[in-house]
């Protein structure tokens, strides 16, 4: 079975500073994908970044980067230069191919508040 | 990127009535779609996996007769909440993966906010 753990229910960060949102995962399958999504108050799920289990380098997408530590089974999201619009709920998720029909396992989420 | 639409975006209904929510993949064919339920400040809870041309697979604890799912075509899945009650009030989100490999993104609909009075 797959499991995602996000231990920070809420986080605060000052505008323009960097913030790290924690995510640890558990799976026995060697092939998996890790995703981060942003969910603003409107409810839509916005894809941020993807990291594959066989990727050698950490993924980056603009101000988002994923600190992937495979041995520790962690996939922390780093947001640089925080903006007020980054205030939202953030979910870490994992997909394992050929199991569970490709469905994702989600963590409980972290609510990020960016202070002006 | 691929787009998944949901209709309606919000609905208010009276207790005892049924509500149908549509989920469409607009620019790709989705043999599988997922239906999630989300309460405020909580994570997404998978309700069922919708498979085109076959019966849906429900997660443990989800009432099949209450949440009817139909995947009539490769671009449309519907969730019908039958005999809705106030405790069914929630945010319902559908999603569709473009494939089953781990790097295939899962595209989410914008969600439907259901309020049962």
């Amino acid at each position: 079975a797959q499991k995602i753990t996000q231990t920070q229910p809420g986080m605060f960060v000052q505008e323009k500073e960097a913030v790290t949102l924690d995510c640890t995962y558990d799976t026995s399958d060697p092939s998996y994908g890790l995703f981060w999504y942003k969910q603003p108050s409107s409810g839509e799920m916005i894809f941020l970044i993807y990291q594959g289990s066989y990727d050698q380098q950490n993924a980056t997408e603009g101000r988002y980067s994923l600190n992937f530590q495979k041995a520790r089974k962690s996939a922390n999201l780093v947001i640089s230069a925080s903006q007020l619009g980054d205030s939202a709920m953030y979910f870490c998720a994992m997909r394992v191919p050929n199991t569970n029909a490709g469905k994702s396992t989600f963590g409980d989420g972290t609510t990020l508040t960016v202070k002006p | 990127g691929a787009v998944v639409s949901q209709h309606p975006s919000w609905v208010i209904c009276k207790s005892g009535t049924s509500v149908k929510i549509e989920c469409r993949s607009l620019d790709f064919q989705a043999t599988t779609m997922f239906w999630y339920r989300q309460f405020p400040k909580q994570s997404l809870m998978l309700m069922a996996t919708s498979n085109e041309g076959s019966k849906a697979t429900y997660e443990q604890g989800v009432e099949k007769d209450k949440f009817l799912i139909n995947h009539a075509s490769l671009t449309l899945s519907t969730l019908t909440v039958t005999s809705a009650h106030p405790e069914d009030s929630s945010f319902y989100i559908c999603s569709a993966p473009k494939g089953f490999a781990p790097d295939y993104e899962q595209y989410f609909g914008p969600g439907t906010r259901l309020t049962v009075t």
Side-chain angles (χ1 to χ4, degrees), chain B residues 37-68:
Chain B
R37 184 176 183 177
Q38 186 182 30
F39 292 107
K41 301 294 185 185
Q42 293 188 23
S43 187
L44 280 69
M45 183 191 79
L46 181 66
M47 299 174 66
T49 302
S50 170
N51 303 299
E52 189 269 336
S54 64
K55 290 183 179 180
T57 304
Y58 290 82
E59 296 298 304
Q60 196 170 9
V62 177
E63 298 176 61
K64 301 178 185 181
D65 295 332
K66 181 163 190 63
F67 298 100
L68 300 179

Short mmCIF file of all heavy atoms in Angstrom, two decimals, chain B residues 37-68:
data_model
loop_
_atom_site.label_atom_id
_atom_site.label_comp_id
_atom_site.label_asym_id
_atom_site.label_seq_id
_atom_site.Cartn_x
_atom_site.Cartn_y
_atom_site.Cartn_z
N ARG B 37 -14.18 13.22 -3.11
CA ARG B 37 -15.00 14.06 -2.25
C ARG B 37 -14.05 14.78 -1.30
O ARG B 37 -13.07 14.18 -0.82
CB ARG B 37 -15.97 13.18 -1.47
CG ARG B 37 -16.95 13.91 -0.61
CD ARG B 37 -17.91 12.92 0.03
NE ARG B 37 -18.89 13.60 0.81
CZ ARG B 37 -19.89 12.99 1.43
NH1 ARG B 37 -20.03 11.68 1.37
NH2 ARG B 37 -20.76 13.69 2.13
N GLN B 38 -14.34 16.05 -1.05
CA GLN B 38 -13.45 16.81 -0.17
C GLN B 38 -14.26 17.67 0.78
O GLN B 38 -15.10 18.47 0.35
CB GLN B 38 -12.51 17.69 -1.00
CG GLN B 38 -11.46 18.40 -0.17
CD GLN B 38 -10.58 19.31 -1.00
OE1 GLN B 38 -10.99 19.85 -2.00
NE2 GLN B 38 -9.33 19.47 -0.56
N PHE B 39 -13.98 17.52 2.07
CA PHE B 39 -14.57 18.39 3.08
C PHE B 39 -13.61 19.54 3.34
O PHE B 39 -12.41 19.44 3.06
CB PHE B 39 -14.85 17.60 4.36
CG PHE B 39 -15.95 16.58 4.18
CD1 PHE B 39 -15.66 15.22 4.13
CD2 PHE B 39 -17.27 16.98 4.07
CE1 PHE B 39 -16.66 14.28 3.95
CE2 PHE B 39 -18.28 16.04 3.89
CZ PHE B 39 -17.97 14.69 3.82
N PRO B 40 -14.13 20.67 3.87
CA PRO B 40 -13.28 21.85 4.08
C PRO B 40 -12.02 21.54 4.86
O PRO B 40 -12.05 20.85 5.87
CB PRO B 40 -14.20 22.80 4.85
CG PRO B 40 -15.57 22.40 4.44
CD PRO B 40 -15.52 20.91 4.26
N LYS B 41 -10.90 22.04 4.36
CA LYS B 41 -9.60 21.93 5.00
C LYS B 41 -9.11 20.49 5.11
O LYS B 41 -8.21 20.19 5.90
CB LYS B 41 -9.64 22.54 6.41
CG LYS B 41 -10.02 24.01 6.43
CD LYS B 41 -8.98 24.88 5.76
CE LYS B 41 -9.34 26.35 5.90
NZ LYS B 41 -8.41 27.22 5.16
N GLN B 42 -9.70 19.59 4.35
CA GLN B 42 -9.27 18.20 4.39
C GLN B 42 -8.75 17.76 3.02
O GLN B 42 -8.84 18.50 2.04
CB GLN B 42 -10.43 17.30 4.83
CG GLN B 42 -10.85 17.52 6.27
CD GLN B 42 -11.85 16.49 6.73
OE1 GLN B 42 -11.95 15.39 6.19
NE2 GLN B 42 -12.61 16.83 7.76
N SER B 43 -8.20 16.56 3.00
CA SER B 43 -7.64 16.04 1.77
C SER B 43 -8.74 15.50 0.86
O SER B 43 -9.91 15.41 1.25
CB SER B 43 -6.64 14.93 2.10
OG SER B 43 -5.96 14.51 0.92
N LEU B 44 -8.34 15.13 -0.33
CA LEU B 44 -9.28 14.52 -1.27
C LEU B 44 -9.46 13.05 -0.87
O LEU B 44 -8.49 12.34 -0.64
CB LEU B 44 -8.73 14.57 -2.69
CG LEU B 44 -8.87 15.88 -3.45
CD1 LEU B 44 -7.97 16.95 -2.87
CD2 LEU B 44 -8.57 15.68 -4.92
N MET B 45 -10.72 12.64 -0.82
CA MET B 45 -11.01 11.26 -0.50
C MET B 45 -11.55 10.58 -1.75
O MET B 45 -12.58 10.99 -2.29
CB MET B 45 -12.04 11.18 0.63
CG MET B 45 -12.36 9.76 1.07
SD MET B 45 -13.79 9.67 2.15
CE MET B 45 -15.13 9.79 0.99
N LEU B 46 -10.85 9.56 -2.22
CA LEU B 46 -11.30 8.86 -3.42
C LEU B 46 -12.58 8.10 -3.12
O LEU B 46 -12.64 7.32 -2.16
CB LEU B 46 -10.22 7.90 -3.91
CG LEU B 46 -10.55 7.13 -5.18
CD1 LEU B 46 -10.65 8.08 -6.37
CD2 LEU B 46 -9.50 6.06 -5.45
N MET B 47 -13.59 8.34 -3.95
CA MET B 47 -14.85 7.65 -3.78
C MET B 47 -14.92 6.41 -4.67
O MET B 47 -15.32 5.33 -4.25
CB MET B 47 -16.02 8.56 -4.14
CG MET B 47 -16.13 9.81 -3.29
SD MET B 47 -17.41 10.89 -3.89
CE MET B 47 -18.85 9.91 -3.60
N ALA B 48 -14.54 6.61 -5.94
CA ALA B 48 -14.69 5.51 -6.89
C ALA B 48 -13.86 5.77 -8.13
O ALA B 48 -13.50 6.91 -8.43
CB ALA B 48 -16.15 5.35 -7.28
N THR B 49 -13.57 4.67 -8.82
CA THR B 49 -12.90 4.73 -10.11
C THR B 49 -13.91 4.37 -11.18
O THR B 49 -14.54 3.30 -11.12
CB THR B 49 -11.73 3.73 -10.15
OG1 THR B 49 -10.82 4.04 -9.09
CG2 THR B 49 -11.00 3.81 -11.48
N SER B 50 -14.06 5.27 -12.14
CA SER B 50 -15.04 5.11 -13.20
C SER B 50 -14.34 4.55 -14.43
O SER B 50 -13.35 5.11 -14.88
CB SER B 50 -15.65 6.48 -13.50
OG SER B 50 -16.44 6.46 -14.65
N ASN B 51 -14.83 3.44 -14.96
CA ASN B 51 -14.22 2.80 -16.11
C ASN B 51 -15.18 2.79 -17.28
O ASN B 51 -16.33 2.34 -17.14
CB ASN B 51 -13.83 1.36 -15.77
CG ASN B 51 -12.90 1.29 -14.58
OD1 ASN B 51 -11.79 1.82 -14.61
ND2 ASN B 51 -13.33 0.64 -13.52
N GLU B 52 -14.73 3.27 -18.41
CA GLU B 52 -15.57 3.32 -19.59
C GLU B 52 -16.02 1.94 -20.00
O GLU B 52 -15.20 1.03 -20.15
CB GLU B 52 -14.83 4.01 -20.74
CG GLU B 52 -15.69 4.32 -21.95
CD GLU B 52 -15.70 3.21 -22.98
OE1 GLU B 52 -14.74 2.42 -23.01
OE2 GLU B 52 -16.68 3.13 -23.75
N GLY B 53 -17.32 1.77 -20.14
CA GLY B 53 -17.87 0.50 -20.61
C GLY B 53 -17.99 -0.58 -19.56
O GLY B 53 -18.38 -1.71 -19.89
N SER B 54 -17.66 -0.28 -18.34
CA SER B 54 -17.79 -1.30 -17.29
C SER B 54 -18.21 -0.63 -15.98
O SER B 54 -18.31 0.58 -15.89
CB SER B 54 -16.48 -2.07 -17.10
OG SER B 54 -15.47 -1.21 -16.63
N LYS B 55 -18.44 -1.47 -14.99
CA LYS B 55 -18.93 -0.94 -13.72
C LYS B 55 -17.82 -0.18 -13.00
O LYS B 55 -16.63 -0.53 -13.10
CB LYS B 55 -19.41 -2.09 -12.83
CG LYS B 55 -20.69 -2.75 -13.30
CD LYS B 55 -21.12 -3.81 -12.31
CE LYS B 55 -22.43 -4.47 -12.75
NZ LYS B 55 -22.87 -5.51 -11.81
N ALA B 56 -18.24 0.78 -12.23
CA ALA B 56 -17.27 1.54 -11.43
C ALA B 56 -16.77 0.70 -10.26
O ALA B 56 -17.45 -0.21 -9.79
CB ALA B 56 -17.93 2.82 -10.91
N THR B 57 -15.58 1.04 -9.82
CA THR B 57 -15.00 0.38 -8.64
C THR B 57 -15.07 1.36 -7.48
O THR B 57 -14.48 2.44 -7.54
CB THR B 57 -13.53 0.01 -8.90
OG1 THR B 57 -13.46 -0.81 -10.07
CG2 THR B 57 -12.96 -0.75 -7.70
N TYR B 58 -15.79 0.98 -6.44
CA TYR B 58 -16.00 1.88 -5.31
C TYR B 58 -15.01 1.58 -4.19
O TYR B 58 -14.63 0.44 -3.95
CB TYR B 58 -17.43 1.71 -4.78
CG TYR B 58 -18.49 2.26 -5.71
CD1 TYR B 58 -18.95 1.51 -6.78
CD2 TYR B 58 -19.00 3.54 -5.52
CE1 TYR B 58 -19.91 2.02 -7.65
CE2 TYR B 58 -19.96 4.05 -6.38
CZ TYR B 58 -20.41 3.29 -7.44
OH TYR B 58 -21.35 3.81 -8.29
N GLU B 59 -14.61 2.64 -3.51
CA GLU B 59 -13.73 2.48 -2.36
C GLU B 59 -14.56 1.97 -1.18
O GLU B 59 -15.79 2.13 -1.11
CB GLU B 59 -13.07 3.81 -2.01
CG GLU B 59 -12.15 4.32 -3.09
CD GLU B 59 -10.98 3.40 -3.38
OE1 GLU B 59 -10.22 3.07 -2.43
OE2 GLU B 59 -10.83 2.99 -4.55
N GLN B 60 -13.84 1.36 -0.27
CA GLN B 60 -14.50 0.80 0.90
C GLN B 60 -15.24 1.89 1.67
O GLN B 60 -14.71 2.98 1.89
CB GLN B 60 -13.45 0.16 1.81
CG GLN B 60 -14.01 -0.77 2.86
CD GLN B 60 -12.93 -1.56 3.57
OE1 GLN B 60 -11.73 -1.30 3.39
NE2 GLN B 60 -13.32 -2.53 4.37
N GLY B 61 -16.47 1.59 2.02
CA GLY B 61 -17.27 2.53 2.80
C GLY B 61 -18.12 3.47 1.97
O GLY B 61 -18.94 4.21 2.52
N VAL B 62 -17.96 3.45 0.66
CA VAL B 62 -18.76 4.32 -0.20
C VAL B 62 -19.97 3.53 -0.69
O VAL B 62 -19.84 2.43 -1.23
CB VAL B 62 -17.93 4.81 -1.41
CG1 VAL B 62 -18.81 5.64 -2.35
CG2 VAL B 62 -16.74 5.60 -0.94
N GLU B 63 -21.16 4.11 -0.49
CA GLU B 63 -22.39 3.41 -0.85
C GLU B 63 -22.63 3.46 -2.35
O GLU B 63 -22.88 4.53 -2.93
CB GLU B 63 -23.58 4.07 -0.13
CG GLU B 63 -23.50 4.01 1.39
CD GLU B 63 -24.67 4.77 2.00
OE1 GLU B 63 -25.82 4.39 1.74
OE2 GLU B 63 -24.42 5.76 2.72
N LYS B 64 -22.60 2.29 -2.98
CA LYS B 64 -22.78 2.22 -4.43
C LYS B 64 -24.15 2.72 -4.85
O LYS B 64 -24.31 3.35 -5.90
CB LYS B 64 -22.63 0.77 -4.91
CG LYS B 64 -21.32 0.14 -4.59
CD LYS B 64 -21.29 -1.30 -5.05
CE LYS B 64 -20.01 -1.98 -4.63
NZ LYS B 64 -19.95 -3.38 -5.10
N ASP B 65 -25.16 2.40 -4.06
CA ASP B 65 -26.53 2.75 -4.45
C ASP B 65 -26.81 4.23 -4.24
O ASP B 65 -27.77 4.76 -4.79
CB ASP B 65 -27.53 1.91 -3.65
CG ASP B 65 -27.41 0.44 -3.97
OD1 ASP B 65 -26.99 0.12 -5.10
OD2 ASP B 65 -27.72 -0.39 -3.10
N LYS B 66 -26.00 4.86 -3.44
CA LYS B 66 -26.22 6.28 -3.19
C LYS B 66 -25.44 7.14 -4.19
O LYS B 66 -25.90 8.16 -4.64
CB LYS B 66 -25.76 6.63 -1.78
CG LYS B 66 -25.97 8.08 -1.46
CD LYS B 66 -25.92 8.34 0.02
CE LYS B 66 -26.37 9.74 0.31
NZ LYS B 66 -27.77 9.96 -0.08
N PHE B 67 -24.26 6.70 -4.52
CA PHE B 67 -23.42 7.45 -5.46
C PHE B 67 -23.29 6.61 -6.74
O PHE B 67 -22.40 5.78 -6.87
CB PHE B 67 -22.05 7.72 -4.84
CG PHE B 67 -22.10 8.56 -3.59
CD1 PHE B 67 -22.02 7.97 -2.33
CD2 PHE B 67 -22.25 9.93 -3.68
CE1 PHE B 67 -22.07 8.74 -1.18
CE2 PHE B 67 -22.30 10.72 -2.53
CZ PHE B 67 -22.21 10.13 -1.27
N LEU B 68 -24.19 6.89 -7.68
CA LEU B 68 -24.22 6.13 -8.92
C LEU B 68 -23.26 6.74 -9.93
O LEU B 68 -23.32 7.94 -10.19
CB LEU B 68 -25.64 6.11 -9.50
CG LEU B 68 -26.72 5.49 -8.62
CD1 LEU B 68 -28.07 5.57 -9.31
CD2 LEU B 68 -26.38 4.05 -8.28
#
